[in-house]
Amino acid sequence: MEPNTEEITRRIRALREDMDFTLQEMADATDRTVAEYQAQESGEQDLSFTFLSKCAAKLGVDVVDLLTGESPHLAGYSIVRADDGLSVKRRAGFEYLHKAPYLKNKLCEPFVVTAPYLEEEQDKPIHLSRHQGNELDYIISGRLRFAYESHVEELGPGDVALYDSSRGHGMIAIGGEPCVFLAVTIPGPEII
């Protein structure tokens, strides 16, 4: 299933307005300026999973509510077959397949991620992201250059990175081919 960006932004705006949150309050909650927040809420900029997670937390809903308009409804367990899941576009070229979107009361968010190999990224600094909690990345195939603040490591199949995701981290595929990895995000307490 591929979420529709226009529908997602409409849900965010409707919830924000229903809860009487100002643009400034949402910008603060998502660590953006008001202009940056407005660009994402209007759909002018890509919606990162970090942005969606922070919106969901501020609005008091599960991120799946924003993505699909449905609340997670499964209790106890969830099985998602190999090629199934909820597709989430996080940044250009990266494909995220959420592997347990409808399990309620999850303590983590599991994704199978495909990072494209892009020649133009190979000699540039890696863009660093931040979100509360921890993240575990298990390399399934291909190779990944992983940056954690000023540290850079190269990972291959079977390698695992577990880290404090509130600090700067990022990755690119290397070796001339895409890299597929399991990414499990584990939320941490929001710093107020």
Side-chain angles (χ1 to χ4, degrees), residues 3 49 52 67 86-90 94-98 111:
F49 191 76
L52 293 172
L67 292 169
L86 178 64
S87 178
V88 180
K89 300 297 183 198
R90 183 171 164 246
F94 275 61
E95 294 179 25
Y96 284 68
L97 194 58
H98 196 305
F111 299 91

Side-chain angles (χ1 to χ4, degrees), residues 15-135:
L15 284 167
R16 176 181 61 76
E17 291 171 352
D18 286 350
M19 299 179 88
D20 290 325
F21 288 135
T22 65
L23 290 171
Q24 183 65 60
E25 289 172 309
M26 290 301 291
D28 291 344
T30 58
D31 298 321
R32 282 154 177 76
T33 66
V34 171
E36 290 168 337
Y37 176 81
Q38 279 183 303
Q40 289 194 290
E41 186 187 80
S42 68
E44 293 171 26
Q45 282 186 354
D46 287 341
L47 302 173
S48 71
F49 191 76
T50 300
F51 172 78
L52 293 172
S53 295
K54 289 179 179 184
C55 283
K58 177 70 175 172
L59 298 167
V61 298
D62 191 286
V63 72
V64 172
D65 287 299
L66 298 180
L67 292 169
T68 67
E70 287 183 57
S71 294
H73 54 276
L74 297 175
Y77 76 99
S78 169
I79 294 176
V80 177
R81 300 295 177 190
D83 293 330
D84 291 336
L86 178 64
S87 178
V88 180
K89 300 297 183 198
R90 183 171 164 246
R91 68 183 219 213
F94 275 61
E95 294 179 25
Y96 284 68
L97 194 58
H98 196 305
K99 298 304 283 186
Y102 298 110
L103 182 65
K104 61 183 175 180
N105 303 319
K106 293 184 289 296
L107 298 179
C108 67
E109 302 286 346
F111 299 91
V112 171
V113 181
T114 302
Y117 174 81
L118 300 171
E119 185 65 41
E120 63 271 15
E121 289 185 338
Q122 300 306 303
D123 296 320
K124 292 182 180 176
I126 296 173
H127 171 76
L128 302 180
S129 299
R130 291 170 179 76
H131 51 89
Q132 291 302 311
N134 291 159
E135 184 168 331

